[in-house]
C-alpha cells in the first residue's frame, strides 16, 4: 500500500474517532495516539462478541452495526454506532457482567487493557479524557438501570 493510501485511511479513521463521544475533548495528534492502540474487529450477524463470566481485558467502540447486550437478569440493551461496550474490562479487574452479540454485521474498535495502560503512562491527558467519558457512560447507564435518571443528577 502506498504512503498516500495509508495517509488517506488514517485520516478517515481519525475523522471517525472525532465523531465518537468516548474520544470527545481530544486534540490534534492525540487522536493518532489513540488510533495506534486500536484494533479493528468484525463480527457476523448473531455472532457472540463475549459472554457474561468471560475474562475482561478489553473494551470496544461500536463503529457500524448494532450490538445486543444481555444482562444476567435477562434485560436487553441495544447499542448503536458511537457507543461503547465492555468498558468495565478496561477499568476494573472483573469478569464480563453481561453478554454481547452482534445483531447484524458489526465493526468494532478494540482497545485492550495492556495497550491502554501504556497510553496512560505516555499520554496521561488522553487517558484521563477517555476515563472521564467512560465514567460518564457508566453513570448514565446506572441511573437508567435503576430508574433514577433525573432523581440523582447533582
Amino acid at each position: 500500500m502506498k504512503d498516500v493510501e495509508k495517509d488517506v485511511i488514517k485520516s478517515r479513521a481519525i475523522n471517525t474517532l472525532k465523531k465518537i463521544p468516548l474520544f470527545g475533548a481530544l486534540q490534534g495528534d492525540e487522536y493518532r495516539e489513540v488510533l495506534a492502540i486500536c484494533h479493528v474487529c468484525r463480527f457476523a450477524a448473531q455472532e457472540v462478541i463475549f459472554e457474561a463470566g468471560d475474562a475482561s481485558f478489553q473494551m470496544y467502540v461500536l463503529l457500524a452495526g448494532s450490538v445486543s447486550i444481555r444482562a444476567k437478569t435477562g434485560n436487553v440493551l441495544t447499542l448503536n454506532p458511537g457507543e461503547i461496550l465492555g468498558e468495565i474490562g478496561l477499568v476494573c479487574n472483573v469478569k464480563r457482567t453481561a453478554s454481547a452479540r452482534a445483531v447484524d454485521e458489526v465493526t468494532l474498535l478494540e482497545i485492550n487493557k495492556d495497550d491502554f495502560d501504556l497510553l496512560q503512562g505516555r499520554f496521561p491527558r488522553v487517558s484521563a479524557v477517555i476515563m472521564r467519558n467512560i465514567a460518564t457512560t457508566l453513570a448514565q447507564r446506572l441511573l437508567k438501570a435503576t430508574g433514577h435518571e433525573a432523581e440523582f443528577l447533582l
Side-chain angles (χ1 to χ4, degrees), residues 28-114:
D29 286 341
E30 292 174 336
Y31 288 102
R32 289 186 192 284
E33 300 305 329
V34 169
L35 191 58
I37 67 165
C38 292
H39 309 280
V40 175
C41 303
R42 291 185 172 81
F43 293 87
Q46 301 307 310
E47 190 174 353
V48 172
I49 298 167
F50 55 79
E51 295 277 0
D54 287 352
S56 178
F57 301 108
Q58 63 274 17
M59 67 163 282
Y60 302 93
V61 179
L62 184 54
L63 295 179
S66 298
V67 172
S68 174
I69 306 295
R70 181 174 298 278
K72 292 178 183 178
T73 61
N75 292 337
V76 177
L77 171 68
T78 300
L79 301 179
N80 297 300
E83 295 187 90
I84 61 175
L85 58 145
E87 66 280 354
I88 292 175
L90 207 62
V91 297
C92 298
N93 190 19
V94 297
K95 295 189 181 291
R96 297 283 184 204
T97 59
S99 298
R101 180 181 299 268
V103 173
D104 44 20
E105 204 170 291
V106 166
T107 303
L108 302 167
L109 276 182
E110 177 188 280
I111 301 174
N112 73 49
K113 185 165 179 28
D114 290 340

